[in-house]
Structure formats: C-alpha cells, structure tokens
Amino acid sequence: MALFPKYSKTREGQNVIMEQRLLKAVNNLILNAETCTGCGICVDACPEEAIVLGPVGATRRGAIDYAEPVDVDPEKCSYCGVCVIMCPFNAMTLKIDGEERLPIVEKEGFPTYDMVTKIDEEKCVRCTICDEVCPRDAINRDVPVFEGSDEAGKPRQSALETKTTFTVDTEKCDYCGICGALCPSITVVRKPKTPETAKIEGEVKWEESTCDGCTICVEACPKDAITLEREFVSTKLPGKVDIEQDNCCTCTWCVHTCPEEAITVEKIFEGEIEINADKCPGGCSTCVEVCPCDALYLPSPLPAKLMKGRIEPNIAINKDFCIFCGACVNACPSEDAIILKRTGIRMQEKDTDLFKDIKEKLLVTKTSKVKEAVSGKVEVKVLREAEKA
C-alpha cells in the first residue's frame, strides 16, 4: 500500500480545502464556497473532470448548508490551477507548499483572461455611484470620509483644494474684537492699554488651515476693514477610484451608470441568453437570487389596460449586465426556461491545445434541466455542440 500521495477534503469556515500530499510537496486547492456562484465554468474547464455541479439554487439561496455550489474530488484533481484561472469570480485558489502559485501560467502553458477595466482619472469625479451599484464589491473608492456621510468625517470645507486670502485694512480696523469672537480662525491681539495715548492698538491674526471661507467676519466687521477672497484650486474630491480586477466580473454596471462616462470595462464572455418566460413556473425567483451580476429581475406589473392579448412575463433579464456565466441555468428548476450560448471568450497570450478543448466545451449551448441523474448533483442539458472556433 503506497504511502503517497495522500488526499483529504476539509472545511474551514467558508473555505473547502482539497489537499494532495506528496512525498516532498503539498498541493491545496481552496474553494471559497461563499464567493462561488455555481456558474459551472470550472466544471467545463477541469481537464480531469474532477469538478461537478452541486445543488446551486439551494446553496446560493441559503436553503441548505451541507453542500457547496460545486464539488471537487480531491483524488481526481491534478492541482493544475486551470479552474483558478478560469473562475470569473475569484472563488478558487491554488497553493503549493503554502504559497499561492499557478505554475501552468508561469510556464506559459495556459492563457489568462484579457481583463479591460479602466477608470479615466480626468473624467472621474469620485462620486459614489459605481461603488454602490457594483454587485461584486470590485470598486475601490479611496476617498476620505466627510461629515456628510459620517459625523466623525472630515469637515466638508476641506473637501476641495482652495487658496484663501485674508487681509485687514489697518487704517480702518479699530481692533474691536468682533471677528475674533465669532471665528476660531481669527485672534485679535491688543497691546496693553496706556493712559499716555488712550489709544487701542494691536494685531489681527488669521489661521488659513481652519478657515472655511464663510465670510461672516467680512459681513460682521463694523468698519468694513476685512477682505476675504477664496479661490478653488481644484473642484474634484481628493483620492482615487479603482477597479479591483480580482473581484471584477466585467458585468459593466459601473460603465452604464457612471454619469461622467469615465469607466471602460470589456466583458470576458460574449454570447446570447434567452429567457423563455412561458416556461418559468413563477414565484420561484431562484435565478434572480443567484445571478452574480444582478442582471435578472422580476418585471414590474403592467397596468391592466395594457395586458389585453398579452401574457405577463414571470422573469426578465437586462442583457447589458449579463456576462453569460451560466449560474442561472444551473440553478433554474424549470426545464428549458433559460438558454445560454457563449460565442466568445476574451483571453490573452496564445491559445494552447488544452485551452482550445476547454473553449469548445464552454461554447456549447446549454439550458436548464429538471431531473438529476445523481442525487445532489445538478446536470444541464446540452442543446448542440459548439461551432468550431
């Protein structure tokens, strides 16, 4: 009986850890069950057929906690890292002796996604829209917090870069002290009084760093001795907004909602998706809940006067946001309700024979299937083979 290799599967929190222990090395494939969407791309990509779909709908909806969206056989797995590369949601990690590595990429044996995710700094105004609409938390908005969103945030007056000029006409100023009593940025310092002159003299000191340019000192000065001019050097908030490529699934929500048209994102998959609403059972909403791109939705009811001769759809999709990942197909409990056809994949570097085989599988048209040949393992129905690329 051979001592090596040894295989195991353990769970630590949300991570499922597959291990292959060799004589001089330890390989770990880690599945983040919370991040995994059940899209099934890793199933088609695995060259060893070591990954199968689990009960996607039930796991993603939280109906069960004893399974994952996909299941990996640690003994069949070759720990090549292809699933890590192909997962569009960064749910897989390969560790070799505790270090994250992808030797197949290092040796140029497999291409990677051609990710195009750009934010034009000149156009971006650092607003909050893209950060809020992104379904994958892929927007890194590194902008200071101001008092509008948090009472403990920075003063709003410090949000924009300004240059303020404060001058006092010493011929008019009588050092009455009103400006200093009103504003913490102004200090009126009087010289000691003396009966020799019986004249009040002194100095008006001003601190630019705390001045918000409100001009109350100008308006309150009884002698019109103060002039305050404030020039805006920049009208943009400080900081920067970036897209974290590891988390971005290229759904383009940020592109379509950016008011400044500052964002460019190219989808990693091209294709078509068809919703057969007449085959949707209604009241299910599983596909809406599992969609990692928030592309599926329950349509708003139409007014009765517009329903004549029409059947109200139970489900709909905004194709602008669909990345053709397949999670909805894998989760749908109704046969033929959703049909998915990928037509292209954006990759960089040269195609390899292995990738060409995987690409052929990924471009096969698929649809949902009700029956499961094996309990707990979901299957999808193949409609036709992919066209030769």
Side-chain angles (χ1 to χ4, degrees):
M1 181 177 175
L3 295 176
F4 295 96
K6 293 181 178 180
Y7 301 96
S8 66
K9 180 190 289 189
T10 57
R11 179 151 192 162
E12 294 181 5
Q14 64 190 22
N15 292 326
V16 181
I17 305 170
M18 278 58 66
E19 182 171 282
Q20 179 193 59
R21 186 171 290 273
L22 305 174
L23 184 61
K24 294 185 178 180
V26 177
N27 298 320
N28 291 116
L29 179 66
I30 304 168
L31 167 68
N32 186 316
E34 186 174 310
T35 304
C36 175
T37 65
C39 70
I41 289 173
C42 60
V43 176
D44 288 333
C46 180
E48 305 298 334
E49 297 183 353
I51 309 176
V52 295
L53 284 174
V56 176
T59 55
R60 294 305 301 162
R61 296 185 75 175
I64 61 174
D65 60 3
Y66 54 81
E68 287 75 46
V70 298
D71 183 61
V72 184
D73 187 329
E75 294 191 30
K76 284 186 178 180
C77 179
S78 64
Y79 301 85
C80 63
V82 167
C83 58
V84 178
I85 300 166
M86 294 302 298
C87 178
F89 302 104
N90 200 33
M92 296 279 201
T93 305
L94 178 66
K95 288 187 177 182
I96 300 174
D97 292 332
E99 179 185 354
E100 287 189 28
R101 287 185 57 198
L102 288 170
I104 195 170
V105 173
E106 295 168 8
K107 296 176 182 179
E108 299 183 354
F110 201 85
T112 56
Y113 286 123
D114 182 13
M115 296 289 289
V116 178
T117 57
K118 300 176 182 176
I119 296 182
D120 189 326
E121 283 194 55
E122 293 300 315
K123 292 182 178 180
C124 177
V125 295
R126 326 283 194 257
C127 75
T128 61
I129 292 177
C130 61
D131 190 22
E132 291 182 7
V133 302
C134 179
R136 307 303 300 174
D137 293 328
I139 302 295
N140 179 23
R141 186 174 180 271
D142 186 15
V143 177
V145 176
F146 295 97
E147 59 186 331
S149 57
D150 188 335
E151 290 184 0
K154 291 186 175 183
R156 59 189 179 279
Q157 295 87 355
S158 64
L160 303 180
E161 186 180 352
T162 60
K163 177 63 179 176
T164 306
T165 304
F166 175 90
T167 55
V168 176
D169 188 333
T170 55
E171 296 295 324
K172 294 181 178 180
C173 180
D174 59 10
Y175 308 102
C176 68
I178 291 177
C179 57
L182 292 173
C183 179
S185 297
I186 300 174
T187 304
V188 178
V189 181
R190 298 191 185 97
K191 293 180 180 180
K193 64 181 186 299
T194 172
E196 183 178 352
T197 62
K199 185 178 180 181
I200 302 299
E201 296 181 317
E203 180 183 4
V204 178
K205 295 184 177 180
W206 171 73
E207 178 55 53
E208 181 178 5
S209 62
T210 57
C211 176
D212 60 11
C214 69
T215 71
I216 192 67
C217 57
V218 176
E219 300 299 328
C221 180
K223 298 296 184 180
D224 294 329
I226 299 176
T227 302
L228 185 71
E229 295 179 352
R230 196 178 198 199
E231 176 188 358
F232 285 88
V233 178
S234 172
T235 56
K236 283 189 178 182
L237 296 180
K240 188 177 182 181
V241 181
D242 283 323
I243 299 175
E244 296 181 5
Q245 281 199 354
D246 285 347
N247 293 333
C248 178
C249 66
T250 69
C251 67
T252 71
W253 262 102
C254 56
V255 175
H256 286 87
T257 57
C258 177
E260 304 300 324
E261 298 182 351
I263 305 177
T264 302
V265 173
E266 299 288 345
K267 292 185 181 182
I268 53 176
F269 294 111
E270 298 173 356
E272 284 295 328
I273 188 166
E274 180 182 347
I275 307 294
N276 294 323
D278 58 324
K279 295 185 179 182
C280 173
C284 167
S285 74
T286 296
C287 59
V288 175
E289 294 185 41
V290 304
C291 178
C293 304
D294 294 343
L296 286 151
Y297 62 97
L298 303 177
S300 301
L302 293 172
K305 63 181 180 181
L306 299 179
M307 289 300 296
K308 186 177 180 180
R310 300 178 61 178
I311 298 175
E312 187 173 10
N314 294 318
I315 202 75
I317 187 169
N318 187 327
K319 294 182 181 180
D320 286 340
F321 306 130
C322 177
I323 69 163
F324 315 105
C325 70
C328 56
V329 172
N330 300 338
C332 179
S334 183
E335 191 164 8
D336 297 335
I338 306 175
I339 299 174
L340 171 69
K341 180 183 180 182
R342 302 185 191 99
T343 57
I345 309 173
R346 289 180 59 91
M347 305 295 286
Q348 59 184 353
E349 293 103 31
K350 294 179 72 173
D351 283 356
T352 62
D353 291 338
L354 175 58
F355 175 72
K356 288 177 182 177
D357 291 340
I358 292 170
K359 182 178 181 181
E360 187 172 354
K361 291 181 183 179
L362 290 172
L363 298 188
V364 171
T365 304
K366 298 176 181 179
T367 186
S368 50
K369 181 177 180 181
V370 176
K371 296 180 180 179
E372 299 177 4
V374 179
S375 178
K377 293 183 179 179
V378 174
E379 296 180 19
V380 292
K381 187 165 66 176
V382 175
L383 296 183
R384 53 188 175 273
E385 294 298 319
E387 298 178 0
K388 297 295 182 181

